[in-house]
Amino acid sequence: MGSPQYDGAVSKNADVVGELTGEASNLIWNTYRGYTSAVFDHAELEHFVRMNVVVVLGCLERGSNPTPSELVHARELGELRARQGVPLESVIQAFRSTERVVLLHVERSRIAPTGTERIERALSCFDALTNSMIDAYRDASSALDAVRARAEEELTTALTKGLAVDQHDIDRWADVLEFDPARACLCAVLELAVSADPLASQRFRRRAVTALTASMNGPVISRASDGVIVLFLRADEGPSSGSLDLIMGGLIGTKDCRAVYLGSTVPSLRSGYESYRHAVKVRDVALGSSEGPRVWHYREVLLDVLLCADPPARGEFVRSRIGALINRPQLLDTVAALADCNLSQARAASQLFVHVNTVALRAKRISELTGRNPLVFDDLVELYLAARHRHELEPTTSFHHAGGDGDPRVTRSSGV
């Protein structure tokens, strides 16, 4: 860049202003996050860069700092960038890029007074502009956060309570939260650890939302309530089910989360209550299971959900299928192993760390006690499903071990 001389009307020299504006704009555009055509037009960037250049050159010309009126555009810019969702760090970097261009110009211009005075004046001007922008950005961000928090609270309350809401309200909330209400979505309920304190829960909530927002390439709506975090996610974009499981599994791996329950995919946000209701049903099934922490899917537990819909029938089903096994954990474990291993006795034996003959003996004993053969597919399905709800039956017997296949010999508390 050249070193043009200007004669006391620096801020009005269109050639200088245009040259500095173009150079700074080129340094900024497509360099910092948010400074792309996907967010706003390049012409808008040039407008505000030009305003900064004009203010600083004008201050150098008259030898004073910016007046309050000269800082108005910086406040307007801060509020605008906050509304556009451009990170504050990016906006600050944009100001610093313009500052660098102007300082280089000042050094090369050799206009009196020379030395550090003009450099210090330019730095003071940019500090004033940057601070005004930052203050306005933070004020706008705080206001926007409050609006978003209220919209998120209202929307999640409606979706989790099944409230009848007008489509206009759904659209208004979704617009504030930048969530397309017409896209398919699903609900996830994250079970918090019992020891999680409120601050830790809030930190975990932010961490979960951040991780999922980045992976789903879209917004995540959240709500914390009664030891759980409820999330509504876009289901038609982002990772596959396997990838989503991987992300959720990572959350379970932390000390703050015990399990994740995923509801069904519904066609739109307006149907979110249905997905939430299904996630709650999954949670009910999981809480009665003896399985460890994992990601639970609604589609995986449909039979369990059907059983849970009629508690008396469920209790009778469990008693009639595995009532005789309730105090025989080895036999119940064998049922689970045979199901996991697709009826393969050899693989079940390996899983249980016993001899294959032990599995055969246990299968025979199960058949004798229940009237259902765990080596027959239909019978095994009923036994396995009932075993998943074994919590329905309270132990009523005591037992001691006795030789052979390790099967406990039962002595009923009634003495029979």
Side-chain angles (χ1 to χ4, degrees):
M1 183 175 69
S3 301
Q5 301 293 322
Y6 45 96
D7 57 1
V10 178
S11 63
K12 299 176 183 177
N13 189 321
D15 291 338
V16 172
V17 171
E19 184 178 357
L20 298 180
T21 298
E23 185 178 349
S25 298
N26 289 335
L27 285 176
I28 297 166
W29 194 245
N30 289 326
T31 300
Y32 305 119
R33 192 154 62 97
Y35 281 85
T36 67
S37 57
V39 181
F40 58 86
D41 292 335
H42 188 274
E44 180 185 298
L45 170 64
E46 289 187 323
H47 167 72
F48 283 105
V49 170
R50 182 177 292 105
M51 295 286 286
N52 283 344
V53 171
V54 168
V55 167
V56 175
L57 294 184
C59 290
L60 292 176
E61 176 185 340
R62 66 176 185 264
S64 64
N65 289 332
T67 64
S69 63
E70 289 177 317
L71 299 176
V72 169
H73 79 278
R75 292 191 61 83
E76 292 176 351
L77 174 62
E79 180 176 339
L80 178 61
R81 293 291 181 259
R83 291 183 179 278
Q84 292 168 334
V86 179
L88 178 58
E89 294 78 7
S90 293
V91 189
I92 293 173
Q93 289 290 352
F95 269 62
R96 294 309 178 205
S97 293
T98 306
E99 178 184 71
R100 176 176 178 273
V101 169
V102 173
L103 289 178
L104 289 174
H105 167 75
V106 170
E107 284 187 345
R108 295 169 182 171
S109 296
R110 301 179 182 277
I111 298 176
T114 57
T116 61
E117 182 179 343
R118 293 176 61 77
I119 297 297
E120 291 175 353
R121 177 74 64 189
L123 289 172
S124 295
C125 291
F126 271 107
D127 285 345
L129 289 166
T130 304
N131 289 335
S132 294
M133 178 277 296
I134 291 174
D135 289 343
Y137 185 103
R138 288 175 173 166
D139 288 344
S141 292
S142 296
L144 290 170
D145 287 345
V147 171
R148 291 191 184 104
R150 180 175 178 179
E152 190 170 42
E153 179 69 20
E154 292 175 348
L155 176 57
T156 54
T157 297
L159 294 179
T160 55
K161 294 185 179 299
L163 303 178
V165 292
D166 187 89
Q167 184 62 43
H168 172 73
D169 289 329
I170 291 284
D171 293 339
R172 175 172 58 84
W173 292 327
D175 182 61
V176 172
L177 299 170
E178 299 179 338
F179 195 108
D180 188 343
R183 295 192 178 210
C185 71
L186 64 85
C187 177
V189 174
L190 280 58
E191 185 88 33
L192 296 176
V194 176
S195 60
D197 63 77
L199 288 178
S201 298
Q202 287 301 318
R203 287 194 297 269
F204 174 73
R205 176 184 177 184
R206 289 194 297 270
R207 188 163 68 249
V209 169
T210 299
L212 288 165
T213 298
S215 301
M216 301 296 293
N217 193 28
V220 175
I221 302 172
S222 68
R223 174 186 178 87
S225 176
D226 299 329
V228 301
I229 294 174
V230 180
L231 305 173
F232 291 93
L233 319 169
R234 289 197 328 208
D236 57 345
E237 291 185 8
S240 64
S241 176
S243 298
L244 182 59
D245 280 1
L246 185 62
I247 298 168
M248 292 297 189
L251 296 176
I252 295 173
T254 69
K255 63 180 181 179
D256 299 310
C257 185
R258 298 171 58 193
V260 175
Y261 316 112
L262 298 178
S264 58
T265 298
V266 292
S268 69
L269 187 61
R270 187 176 179 84
S271 306
Y273 172 66
E274 180 181 356
S275 183
Y276 168 74
R277 185 169 56 85
H278 290 166
V280 171
K281 289 182 179 294
V282 175
R283 184 192 182 203
D284 291 341
V285 170
L287 291 178
S289 170
S290 59
E291 294 191 41
R294 70 176 181 90
V295 179
W296 294 75
H297 291 263
Y298 178 69
R299 63 176 181 271
E300 294 176 346
V301 296
L302 285 175
L303 286 175
D304 300 273
V305 170
L306 290 174
L307 284 174
C308 290
D310 189 339
R314 180 183 68 238
E316 179 58 30
F317 174 79
V318 174
R319 280 189 294 274
S320 63
R321 268 54 176 184
I322 63 165
L325 307 181
I326 196 60
N327 288 315
R328 295 173 168 82
Q330 293 94 334
L331 300 186
L332 289 171
D333 290 344
T334 302
V335 169
L338 287 169
D340 289 343
C341 299
N342 296 319
L343 292 171
S344 169
Q345 296 181 60
R347 288 169 55 196
S350 177
Q351 180 173 309
L352 294 169
F353 301 102
V354 298
H355 193 276
V356 66
N357 290 343
T358 300
V359 173
L361 289 172
R362 290 182 181 179
K364 180 180 179 181
R365 184 61 173 153
I366 292 168
S367 182
E368 293 171 350
L369 291 170
T370 66
R372 287 172 174 78
N373 186 352
L375 301 180
V376 174
F377 178 78
D378 289 348
D379 287 352
L380 178 61
V381 168
E382 293 193 11
L383 290 168
Y384 175 68
L385 189 57
R388 288 171 64 97
H389 295 271
R390 68 181 72 178
H391 60 281
E392 286 287 323
L393 304 180
E394 292 293 333
T396 58
T397 60
S398 60
F399 58 89
H400 62 274
H401 292 284
D405 62 3
D407 188 20
R409 304 302 181 186
V410 177
T411 303
R412 297 192 177 275
S413 56
S414 62
V416 177

